[in-house]
Amino acid sequence: EAGVAQSPRYKIIEKRQSVAFWCNPISGHATLYWYQQILGQGPKLLIQFQNNGVVDDSQLPKDRFSAERLKGVDSTLKIQPAKLEDSAVYLCASSLDTSPRRLEQYFGPGTRLTVT
Amino acid sequence: AQSVTQLGSHVSVSEGALVLLRCNYSSSVPPYLFWYVQYPNQGLQLLLKYTSAATLVKGINGFEAEFKKSETSFHLTKPSAHMSDAAEYFCAVMAYSNSGYALNFGKGTSLLVTP
């Protein structure tokens, strides 16, 4: 079974530039998550999709971050314009759905973003 | 709200020694608890999970964790550390909000294994 795929693995941009990350979840997983992991901290949920609808985006900085999951499969996360504090690893995860017994999340390798 | 606290941001053990990584939870309802491991430049991998069945949970790579309600703890242990166990370990609790269920992660504990 293929895991969660993410690209690119690394990205370096200057502040005020834009950047996009792509995620392809495990086949059949209805729920997709984007996390931000700042160095030395645990993952922080940015946005959660159930199929192609947003379940929770309460911690997404909507003035600069956007995400979509067209057709309920793969997803993109965009930052425009980037700030220095956006330097982090962006992790994508998926799960069968959000019911308690099916909440086990599978993570991709992440995209390490450096904003200079 | 459900949350976890990991005690000790860094733990160092000798190869062959006992590994003990501490996690305490806060939850007003019976919690579902998880331990994940993150190797350098990789995503998180599930080690084990507690979902209100047996209180002693066995996971991959020889790790296990015991749910203790009286102590609100879910500490991760391994009898004998290997060099390959060096990684970042995260405890997480399933949290419920108006949006449904999600995971709240601790800040992580970095495990160093010395020869």
Side-chain angles (χ1 to χ4, degrees):
Chain A
E1 177 183 84
V4 176
Q6 288 188 249
S7 67
R9 291 296 312 277
Y10 306 92
K11 190 74 177 177
I12 301 174
I13 62 172
E14 296 181 351
K15 59 183 179 183
R16 291 188 289 274
Q17 286 187 324
S18 63
V19 64
F21 313 127
W22 174 82
C23 172
N24 186 253
I26 292 174
S27 177
H29 281 196
T31 311
L32 185 147
Y33 313 79
W34 282 103
Y35 289 90
Q36 180 191 59
Q37 186 179 19
I38 293 174
L39 186 65
Q41 298 183 21
K44 168 190 159 186
L45 181 68
L46 292 176
I47 188 168
Q48 177 179 338
F49 292 94
Q50 178 75 6
N51 296 310
N52 60 351
V54 175
V55 173
D56 183 358
D57 63 357
S58 58
Q59 298 195 79
L60 186 74
K62 298 180 186 63
D63 58 332
R64 298 185 299 106
F65 286 64
S66 64
E68 61 182 8
R69 189 183 184 197
L70 299 176
K71 300 181 182 179
V73 183
D74 52 353
S75 174
T76 56
L77 176 69
K78 296 180 181 178
I79 307 175
Q80 182 179 8
K83 293 184 175 181
L84 296 176
E85 58 260 37
D86 297 332
S87 293
V89 175
Y90 291 85
L91 295 165
C92 179
S94 68
S95 65
L96 283 168
D97 57 45
T98 59
S99 61
R101 292 197 174 273
R102 291 151 65 93
L103 188 61
E104 180 175 326
Q105 295 184 19
Y106 297 83
F107 284 79
T111 297
R112 183 176 298 278
L113 174 67
T114 302
V115 182
T116 62
Chain B
Q2 291 83 14
S3 65
V4 292
T5 301
Q6 292 185 241
L7 303 176
S9 59
H10 294 84
V11 170
S12 181
V13 300
S14 300
E15 190 175 19
L18 171 71
V19 175
L20 172 60
L21 304 182
R22 299 177 187 272
C23 174
N24 287 91
Y25 69 89
S26 173
S27 177
S28 57
V29 297
Y32 283 16
L33 296 159
F34 305 78
W35 274 100
Y36 281 85
V37 61
Q38 186 177 33
Y39 297 103
N41 299 315
Q42 295 187 28
L44 279 70
Q45 179 184 7
L46 181 68
L47 276 176
L48 49 82
K49 61 182 178 181
Y50 168 76
T51 57
S52 73
T55 57
L56 182 63
V57 182
K58 294 186 182 298
I60 61 171
N61 301 338
F63 284 93
E64 63 182 36
E66 186 172 9
F67 173 75
K68 291 187 176 180
K69 183 178 178 180
S70 61
E71 299 177 9
T72 61
S73 68
F74 190 58
H75 302 332
L76 182 70
T77 60
K78 182 174 180 177
S80 176
H82 294 165
M83 297 297 290
S84 59
D85 294 328
E88 190 83 15
Y89 291 80
F90 295 94
C91 183
V93 63
M94 187 177 70
Y96 179 76
S97 68
N98 291 336
S99 306
Y101 293 96
L103 292 182
N104 283 344
F105 287 87
K107 292 187 175 182
T109 298
S110 179
L111 177 65
L112 174 66
V113 182
T114 58

